[in-house]
Amino acid sequence: MRMGPDVPLLNDYKQEFFLKRFPQTLLGGPRFKLGYCAPPYIYVNQIILFLTPWLWGGVGTLLYQLGVMKDSCTAALSGALMFVTALALQMTNLYAKQKTVTVERMQIQNTLTDEDEFEFSSCVGSETVKFIIPGKKYIINTVFHSLLAGVLCGLGTWYLLPNRITLLYNNIGGTVVIFVFGWVTICIGEYSLIINTATETATFQALDTYEITALMRPFYIFVFIAVDLAHRLLVMFLISAGTAIASYFIPSPLGVILFMTGFGFILSLNLSEIGFALKHTMISHLASSKAKNAHRGLRIQFGWREFIFYVAVLAFALTEASLLHQFAGSSSFSQARPQAIASYILILLLVIMWILREIQRVYLFGVFRNPFYPKDVRTVAVFMEKQRRLMKVGVVRRILLTLVSPFAMIAFLSLDHSLQNLHSVSVSIGFTRMFRMVWQNTENALLDMVVVSAAQMLVFNPDLWWNRSLDTGIKLLLTTNRALPARVPQVGLLRDRLLQFLSKLHFAIAILLTSWTEKKQRRRSSAALIALNVAFFPVLLALVAVSALLSSPLLPLFTLPVFLVGFPRPLRSWPGPAGGTACVCSDTVYYRQLVPGLAAALQSALAAGGLGLSLPGSHYLCRFQDRLMWILVLEKGFTYCGVNIKGLELQETSCHAAEAHRVDEIFEMAFEHQEHTRILSPNPHFGHILTPCTVVPVRLYSDARNVLSGIIDSHENLKHLKDDFVKVLVWMLVQYCYKKSKTWESPGSANKNKQESFPENQHSGAVKGSRALREEDSFSVDTVEDWTDESDIFDFEPSSRTRDRKDPGQLGLTPKVHLSIPGSIETQDFLQEMSPEDKLNRAMVLGLPAVDKGKQPEVLPRVEFSCSYSELLSIPEEWRTAPVPSSKVSEMRQRFPEEWYHFVLSQLDFFHLKEKPSSLLTDLMKDQALKELYIHGVLSCCFGLFGLDNAVPAPRHVFRAYTGGIPWSAGLDWLTGKPELFQLALKAFRYTFKLMLDKASLGPVENFRELVNYLEGYESDWYIGLVSDLEWQQAVLQEKPYLFSLGHDPSMGIYTGRVLTLQELLVQVGKLNAEAVRGQWANLSWELLYATNDDEERYSIQAHPALLRNLTVQAADPPLGYPVYSSQLLQLPLF
């Protein structure tokens, strides 16, 4: 990927596209700039339609100003005219669509601009109507949007009456400005609603299935008008009604306390998990045993233990709240009263919990190194030994957070004197919210209460305005509820917005500074942009403040220091459920294996406080070797946390590698180089959007890759390869036959079961792969019959015979015998079972030797065993039919490792046989017929893999034999015809190759017992194959302890070995600046969905080590991002 300041923000085509789209968005949809020449009436018609709402509004306004109609009647008239007009326009579009000819000439379009090109015939022609008024997809939207257009025009007419504006501002000039721009705004909203919807810069998803985008602009206008209406008409009604309802249903203050406490606790629980557990319990009791088994593997996190715990906590909370409110909550606040004592307890709890949380992290407050954190944490054993004290501290913090703090806050709330009187709306809403936040967001609720209680203690005089005018409920409501406007200092709202402001300001300053300090980010415009930001720094602060106030992302345009206030979005930034899509590839399996272990480790770290203050919308980045895990906190409640884990690609591009290297550098400085640092030394990467938190032990695969030069090309190693292969193959065949014998009841039934247990139609991927490689350099021979000039050379029969052909059996006739060309091979008629691709790949070759059709297959003589139990270990008869010369059989008898053969037989126990002679193993060893079978079987496999040549195999041949891609030979053709035997031979060769590596690195094998241990270890603990094998992915998911693969780098001409080892290792975890992530994702959404800037070389996707821009883009949900793995919502219990 190209990097540097020369990368364009938008390419030439996208610039032209953007200049056409942006005016449409600005004006609500009129297309005044096209990519081709259009008649003038196209623009005139759009202008007329754009001004139509103003026309009908002007009629109503004129009638009102002349005193003909009242304001309400004027609004109704304008709205009715607009409704009729909108409905007529939609009907016109439907008529134009029906009038259009259904069969049109197909055009081949070469560029995207051709898609927008229309041919117009007249001012009101069908093409003109369809171009200007695209129409609605659904009939219901046709009616609904037309009705909405009428309401909008009516309300706009009423709202913009000149007399009303003059009375409000008492200024003729201001009235004219508001009247003109107000109607321009309404015209923009109406055009977007009923004529043509413009693409919005706030595009949230790629497809607008239900035509919601058309409602965005009218919605903003309605909100603006509704605020004025609500202020005048609805506020007093809603307050009065709410107070009356609350007072009627819960007249007792004690009842209010119990209601708030109980429902606050219940709503903070993981209700989805509880509902799933209850549903599972009902199914288990009512359904059949089959249904029970179907649900037995599901993970249930809510059981009887959790149920009893929650019931006990709820009962204690209700008891505490009622008793304190009844006996100690009657007095107002003072330093000697119980609520003041509760305030001191809350302050003490806050200090203790902050301290216990910070010492769990590697950096105190992200700035200074934690002297209590373990140093040099490179191994799990050392880290766990040093972290024992911190684990105990984490348990204490968990108890304080889960049990002590909520009850202390309930005591503080229950003791407030405002609950003694007749409760108001502020008490009902404010305290209900706080009684829920006590459980759902304990740490923030504790901070808010401490601030309020500290203010009460500082100004505890009841005559002061703070304590006289506002009760505790409304104070705490203003600290958590973002919807209520307030004219008093709002503690929690200020806390939340202040933290957002600081995060956004950090993000903005990081972009501003790195646009010059990072050489690859320095563009020609960087100096001018920095100067403008410095000169207008108050404006920049205002933008950041507005963005924080609206809780909207701060959008850096093209990730340059050009900042805009983004549109409000959910904290997770993307539509749809978590984990719905991912760019699945071969690397996905590694994330699927590690995610359960990572989730369990995160559960402990979150509960102990090692990840800091985790709130919905928090982002974390985990790193281990080449794996990057992106974690997003989706929800959090009492004793649970919901997260989504994404895995980023392992195939590193240059941009990915640059940012991953910076991540490694940050984590290494934090966790691996602590022995050379001073106590409380500053964070060398302070200011980066990634702040290291802690390391967590996770059971996953470590990936080691080695160059095999000096081993695979060693003549001495290759010389012993064949002998070792014979030994391994003998062991493999004996073990195979021994496992098969466990299904036989007696030696007499061996032959019958033996023939049924070796199917010939089982083909594996390795066989297909080897045949594909072999067919690249070979040809197949087909039958040639009565060929004519019209025949298809790829058919089995001439075209005259394949057309309208009927099965001879259906006609009651005997099949006709076709004579084939001499020298060709007669084939069966399976034309209808053959795909066109298979026919195309076949070729005709003449001149090969003819085949004797009358020759019968060779019948092998029956083997006479000296031991009746030898049938149990007898290899299948078809495995002994290899066309091997007798001289090679004699040679194999001399090379056959008889001692090893006897040792392998001596390791068999035959426990599955009910009655067996004591000399069974001795008899098997003495059976020469059985030995001859294994000699033939081993020789057949050697003949298939190595041929008849006794030369030492070359490294290239070894590699191709390992991968199953050996060049074609007669022996290999016979071997691949026996798929099961070929798989055994391939597996034995791979074991032999691994044995060669182990002998080269660990030393020679001393005895047969050690060799058997090697082979048994390969069988039970290893998967030895290729990364591309399906079995490799299955082995990873089954968590095989070790995996080995052989590779080849053709560019460097070297052979590599890859070993995956399953073990518990340390994964580094860091917290990301959530606002930096949201800002970059907002720019990504704008750039791809609005500006359609999907250029892979665009500036905003280039590496930015300070912002981790490329990694952040990857972690976005598809189709804008491309994570290779994305989990579903993972519910992590925290207690």
Side-chain angles (χ1 to χ4, degrees):
M1 184 176 290
R2 190 168 45 141
M3 300 173 62
D6 299 331
V7 178
L9 299 178
L10 285 171
N11 57 33
D12 295 337
Y13 167 71
K14 294 300 181 182
Q15 289 178 10
E16 181 182 355
F17 176 82
F18 179 77
L19 291 177
K20 289 193 304 180
R21 170 169 281 190
F22 185 71
Q24 298 175 21
T25 303
L26 193 64
L27 297 176
R31 288 179 276 190
F32 294 139
K33 181 178 176 57
L34 303 177
Y36 51 93
C37 183
Y41 56 77
I42 295 296
Y43 305 103
V44 174
N45 288 346
Q46 292 185 85
I47 294 174
I48 293 175
L49 292 175
F50 181 81
L51 298 177
T52 298
W54 202 343
L55 173 64
W56 300 134
V59 171
T61 301
L62 181 61
L63 293 176
Y64 173 77
Q65 294 295 120
L66 295 176
V68 178
M69 302 179 68
K70 295 182 178 181
D71 55 353
S72 58
C73 297
T74 298
L77 176 63
S78 299
L81 290 175
M82 191 66 229
F83 170 70
V84 173
T85 303
L87 203 59
L89 291 174
Q90 298 300 321
M91 294 300 105
T92 304
N93 173 265
L94 293 177
Y95 175 76
K97 288 182 178 179
Q98 294 177 356
K99 187 179 178 181
T100 304
V101 180
T102 56
V103 180
E104 299 179 351
R105 180 174 57 89
M106 295 182 61
Q107 298 179 353
I108 300 177
Q109 302 168 350
N110 296 323
T111 60
L112 294 176
T113 54
D114 293 336
E115 297 177 359
D116 299 331
E117 193 166 337
F118 285 78
E119 295 181 359
F120 305 104
S121 58
S122 65
C123 179
V124 292
S126 299
E127 296 82 4
T128 304
V129 173
K130 288 191 298 180
F131 173 77
I132 297 177
I133 311 173
K136 305 297 179 181
K137 290 189 289 187
Y138 306 105
I139 298 297
I140 187 173
N141 281 344
T142 300
V143 179
F144 175 66
H145 289 185
S146 300
L147 180 63
L148 200 63
V151 174
L152 180 61
C153 185
L155 287 177
T157 302
W158 173 83
Y159 191 79
L160 294 174
L161 290 174
N163 286 349
R164 294 184 68 256
I165 302 175
T166 303
L167 291 175
L168 184 63
Y169 295 102
N170 197 22
N171 186 294
I172 300 298
T175 300
V176 173
V177 171
I178 294 176
F179 182 81
V180 172
F181 283 98
W183 272 111
V184 170
T185 302
I186 292 177
C187 289
I188 290 174
E190 293 279 14
Y191 197 96
S192 176
L193 182 63
I194 61 174
I195 307 298
N196 183 27
T197 303
T199 304
E200 302 289 353
T201 58
T203 304
F204 186 52
Q205 50 192 350
L207 300 177
D208 185 17
T209 306
Y210 302 105
E211 298 176 312
I212 298 176
T213 306
L215 304 176
M216 291 185 62
R217 294 168 188 262
F219 172 77
Y220 297 143
I221 299 174
F222 274 124
V223 168
F224 190 85
I225 298 176
V227 168
D228 186 59
L229 290 175
H231 180 70
R232 301 182 183 189
L233 305 175
L234 302 178
V235 173
M236 294 306 298
F237 170 78
L238 293 177
I239 292 177
S240 302
T243 304
I245 293 173
S247 301
Y248 178 79
F249 284 103
I250 311 177
S252 170
L254 180 61
V256 173
I257 290 289
L258 296 177
F259 177 81
M260 293 176 182
T261 305
F263 273 87
F265 174 78
I266 292 173
L267 293 176
S268 67
L269 299 178
N270 190 353
L271 298 179
S272 61
E273 191 71 21
I274 295 175
F276 175 77
L278 293 177
K279 179 180 178 181
H280 167 70
T281 303
M282 294 179 61
I283 292 176
S284 299
H285 284 85
L286 299 178
S288 61
S289 59
K290 182 177 180 180
K292 292 181 182 180
N293 295 331
H295 291 272
R296 193 167 295 172
L298 298 175
R299 178 181 178 182
I300 306 299
Q301 297 178 355
F302 185 84
W304 286 107
R305 185 184 66 175
E306 289 78 10
F307 177 76
I308 296 173
F309 171 74
Y310 290 149
V311 170
V313 170
L314 177 60
F316 188 84
L318 293 175
T319 304
E320 177 197 21
S322 59
L323 291 178
L324 290 176
H325 174 75
Q326 190 71 21
F327 297 106
S330 58
S331 60
S332 60
F333 185 88
S334 66
Q335 291 185 346
R337 293 301 178 181
Q339 192 177 22
I341 299 175
S343 299
Y344 290 118
I345 296 176
L346 292 181
I347 294 174
L348 181 63
L349 282 174
L350 178 66
V351 173
I352 294 175
M353 289 181 56
W354 270 35
I355 294 175
L356 297 183
R357 185 185 69 196
E358 291 301 321
I359 64 176
Q360 299 285 331
R361 306 167 64 188
V362 66
Y363 289 115
L364 297 176
F365 305 103
V367 181
F368 301 104
R369 187 176 299 278
N370 182 6
F372 302 100
Y373 196 84
K375 296 182 178 181
D376 194 19
V377 287
R378 299 186 182 183
T379 62
V380 177
V382 175
F383 173 74
M384 298 303 293
E385 180 67 25
K386 293 182 178 181
Q387 204 193 19
R388 285 184 178 179
R389 293 182 181 179
L390 291 182
M391 293 175 65
K392 296 177 182 179
V393 171
V395 173
V396 174
R397 180 186 178 277
R398 189 183 309 181
I399 295 174
L400 292 177
L401 180 65
T402 307
L403 298 177
V404 179
S405 297
F407 291 114
M409 287 186 283
I410 287 176
F412 177 79
L413 294 173
S414 302
L415 291 171
D416 191 78
H417 71 281
S418 60
L419 292 174
Q420 297 293 330
N421 304 321
L422 183 63
H423 40 274
S424 62
V425 172
S426 63
V427 172
S428 299
I429 299 177
F431 274 91
T432 300
R433 177 72 172 173
M434 278 314 303
F435 272 107
R436 177 178 179 179
M437 295 301 293
V438 161
W439 305 100
Q440 188 167 14
N441 197 347
T442 306
E443 292 185 79
N444 280 343
L446 181 61
L447 175 61
D448 298 342
M449 289 189 188
V450 165
V451 173
V452 172
S453 61
Q456 284 181 328
M457 287 186 291
L458 290 175
V459 286
F460 61 89
N461 188 346
D463 294 332
L464 291 178
W465 170 83
W466 171 270
N467 287 314
R468 186 179 67 252
S469 301
L470 297 178
D471 54 65
T472 305
I474 194 62
K475 297 170 194 172
L476 295 173
L477 168 65
L478 295 177
T479 66
T480 57
N481 196 325
R482 303 179 182 180
L484 292 179
R487 300 179 181 178
V488 296
Q490 307 173 6
V491 178
L493 183 62
L494 288 177
R495 168 192 51 78
D496 180 76
R497 295 304 189 261
L498 179 61
L499 292 178
Q500 285 197 36
F501 177 81
L502 294 177
S503 297
K504 295 176 191 294
L505 185 61
H506 173 207
F507 175 47
I509 293 177
I511 291 181
L512 194 62
L513 294 179
T514 55
S515 64
W516 184 263
T517 57
E518 294 280 347
K519 183 179 295 186
K520 293 184 178 180
Q521 307 302 324
R522 193 181 304 167
R523 302 177 61 87
R524 296 177 181 176
S525 59
S526 295
L529 292 176
I530 293 174
L532 288 174
N533 278 277
V534 172
F536 296 95
F537 191 72
V539 178
L540 174 61
L541 290 179
L543 284 174
V544 176
V546 171
S547 177
L549 185 63
L550 297 177
S551 192
S552 299
L554 182 66
L555 193 155
L557 200 62
F558 299 106
T559 63
L560 292 172
V562 179
F563 301 101
L564 303 174
V565 178
F567 290 84
R569 292 180 178 272
L571 288 177
R572 65 177 303 264
S573 297
W574 307 112
T581 55
C583 302
V584 179
C585 64
S586 59
D587 297 334
T588 304
V589 66
Y590 302 110
Y591 290 108
R592 290 181 59 191
Q593 181 274 325
L594 69 87
V595 160
L598 179 61
L602 290 175
Q603 171 185 336
S604 302
L606 286 168
L611 301 184
L613 182 61
S614 59
L615 300 172
S618 298
H619 294 261
Y620 296 91
L621 186 65
C622 301
R623 178 68 167 171
F624 177 77
Q625 290 186 350
D626 57 351
R627 272 150 281 183
L628 281 164
M629 290 73 72
W630 193 285
I631 301 170
L632 171 61
V633 179
L634 297 174
E635 62 182 56
K636 195 173 183 182
F638 183 62
T639 69
Y640 84 96
C641 180
V643 301
N644 167 242
I645 301 178
K646 296 177 182 177
L648 306 187
E649 62 180 358
L650 303 184
Q651 301 294 331
E652 296 184 350
T653 60
S654 57
C655 296
H656 181 105
E659 296 184 356
H661 177 72
R662 178 63 62 87
V663 172
D664 292 335
E665 180 182 341
I666 293 174
F667 282 135
E668 287 175 3
M669 291 296 296
F671 300 114
E672 298 182 8
H673 297 159
Q674 294 188 4
E675 64 274 8
H676 304 296
T677 57
R678 302 185 308 272
I679 298 177
L680 295 178
S681 59
N683 180 4
H685 292 93
F686 178 73
H688 197 276
I689 70 165
L690 177 65
T691 302
C693 292
T694 186
V695 293
V696 293
V698 181
R699 186 174 175 82
L700 45 67
Y701 283 100
S702 63
D703 194 347
R705 308 184 188 219
N706 303 310
V707 177
L708 302 182
S709 300
I711 298 178
I712 193 173
D713 53 1
S714 172
H715 181 79
E716 189 68 23
N717 293 335
L718 296 176
K719 182 179 179 181
H720 295 289
L721 183 67
K722 278 190 175 182
D723 295 335
D724 290 339
F725 173 71
V726 172
K727 292 181 180 179
V728 175
L729 186 58
V730 168
W731 180 83
M732 194 78 69
L733 290 174
V734 171
Q735 293 296 321
Y736 175 83
C737 295
Y738 176 70
K739 291 178 182 179
K740 288 291 184 180
S741 70
K742 293 183 178 180
T743 61
W744 301 339
E745 298 178 358
S746 63
S749 63
N751 290 332
K752 179 180 178 181
N753 290 306
K754 182 171 59 177
Q755 295 175 0
E756 296 175 354
S757 61
F758 299 103
E760 288 294 333
N761 295 327
Q762 298 177 356
H763 296 276
S764 64
V767 176
K768 294 179 180 179
S770 64
R771 288 185 174 178
L773 289 172
R774 199 171 66 249
E775 288 174 358
E776 292 177 0
D777 300 320
S778 62
F779 297 90
S780 59
V781 182
D782 295 317
T783 304
V784 180
E785 301 180 358
D786 300 336
W787 297 100
T788 66
D789 293 337
E790 298 179 356
S791 299
D792 185 357
I793 63 172
F794 300 111
D795 281 334
F796 280 93
E797 297 183 4
S799 57
S800 61
R801 300 193 178 190
T802 56
R803 295 195 192 108
D804 302 330
R805 183 182 179 193
K806 297 183 179 180
D807 188 359
Q810 296 178 357
L811 300 176
L813 303 174
T814 58
K816 183 178 179 180
V817 179
H818 302 287
L819 299 178
S820 57
I821 294 178
S824 66
I825 301 175
E826 186 70 28
T827 57
Q828 304 272 338
D829 182 17
F830 52 95
L831 180 62
Q832 300 193 5
E833 298 179 0
M834 194 170 193
S835 64
E837 291 80 6
D838 294 333
K839 291 163 52 177
L840 184 62
N841 290 331
R842 301 185 64 90
M844 181 57 55
V845 178
L846 305 179
L848 295 183
V851 176
D852 187 0
K853 298 182 181 180
K855 184 178 180 179
Q856 298 297 328
E858 180 181 0
V859 179
L860 297 178
R862 178 177 177 81
V863 179
E864 298 293 339
F865 296 110
S866 61
C867 176
S868 59
Y869 287 90
S870 296
E871 293 181 1
L872 300 177
L873 300 180
S874 176
I875 64 177
E877 182 176 311
E878 60 271 15
W879 291 7
R880 296 178 272 129
T881 59
V884 183
S886 57
S887 60
K888 291 297 179 181
V889 177
S890 303
E891 183 180 340
M892 177 54 68
R893 288 194 184 98
Q894 298 177 1
R895 293 176 50 199
F896 188 75
E898 188 170 352
E899 295 182 359
W900 166 251
Y901 168 72
H902 291 162
F903 180 81
V904 172
L905 292 179
S906 66
Q907 302 301 308
L908 305 179
D909 47 41
F910 289 100
F911 286 152
H912 57 281
L913 297 180
K914 298 180 180 179
E915 298 180 359
K916 59 181 179 180
S918 58
S919 61
L920 173 59
L921 295 179
T922 305
D923 295 340
L924 290 175
M925 295 179 194
K926 294 180 179 180
D927 195 333
Q928 294 297 322
L930 182 62
K931 174 184 172 183
E932 286 294 325
L933 290 183
Y934 279 94
I935 291 176
H936 279 277
V938 170
L939 179 59
S940 300
C941 295
C942 292
F943 173 57
L945 295 180
F946 298 105
L948 299 178
D949 192 3
N950 292 328
V952 176
R956 179 174 178 81
H957 183 87
V958 172
F959 174 75
R960 299 195 68 173
Y962 184 94
T963 58
I966 308 172
W968 183 89
S969 65
L972 182 63
D973 188 63
W974 176 88
L975 184 60
T976 52
K978 313 295 183 294
E980 204 164 4
L981 179 60
F982 178 76
Q983 285 300 300
L984 285 175
L986 182 61
K987 186 177 180 181
F989 185 84
R990 291 174 174 177
Y991 282 13
T992 305
F993 183 83
K994 183 63 175 65
L995 180 63
M996 181 185 73
L997 296 182
D998 290 342
K999 288 167 62 177
S1001 57
L1002 303 177
V1005 177
E1006 300 293 340
N1007 48 53
F1008 290 158
R1009 180 69 263 173
E1010 185 178 356
L1011 179 57
V1012 169
N1013 292 338
Y1014 270 114
L1015 298 179
E1016 290 178 349
Y1018 296 157
E1019 188 71 21
S1020 60
D1021 299 336
W1022 286 79
Y1023 176 78
I1024 302 175
L1026 297 175
V1027 177
S1028 57
D1029 292 342
L1030 177 62
E1031 292 80 1
W1032 178 279
Q1033 299 186 12
Q1034 295 174 350
V1036 171
L1037 295 178
Q1038 295 169 3
E1039 295 193 339
K1040 277 276 188 180
Y1042 307 97
L1043 291 89
F1044 174 81
S1045 175
L1046 178 64
H1048 180 239
D1049 187 352
S1051 60
M1052 301 182 63
I1054 59 174
Y1055 296 93
T1056 58
R1058 182 180 182 185
V1059 178
L1060 300 185
T1061 304
L1062 182 65
Q1063 53 187 322
E1064 195 172 34
L1065 297 167
L1066 295 177
V1067 174
Q1068 301 155 336
V1069 185
K1071 189 172 185 178
L1072 294 161
N1073 185 334
E1075 295 303 325
V1077 175
R1078 293 182 67 201
Q1080 293 182 77
W1081 281 356
N1083 172 74
L1084 176 67
S1085 179
W1086 177 88
E1087 194 172 351
L1088 266 66
L1089 295 182
Y1090 180 75
T1092 65
N1093 187 25
D1094 56 352
D1095 186 2
E1096 294 182 355
E1097 301 293 333
R1098 65 184 185 273
Y1099 173 78
S1100 60
I1101 203 176
Q1102 302 298 311
H1104 197 309
L1107 297 179
L1108 304 182
R1109 183 168 57 193
N1110 186 266
L1111 298 181
T1112 304
V1113 169
Q1114 288 186 49
D1117 281 6
L1120 304 187
Y1122 44 98
V1124 300
Y1125 173 81
S1126 182
S1127 70
Q1128 301 292 331
L1129 174 63
L1130 301 177
Q1131 304 284 3
L1132 307 180
L1134 301 182
F1135 187 77

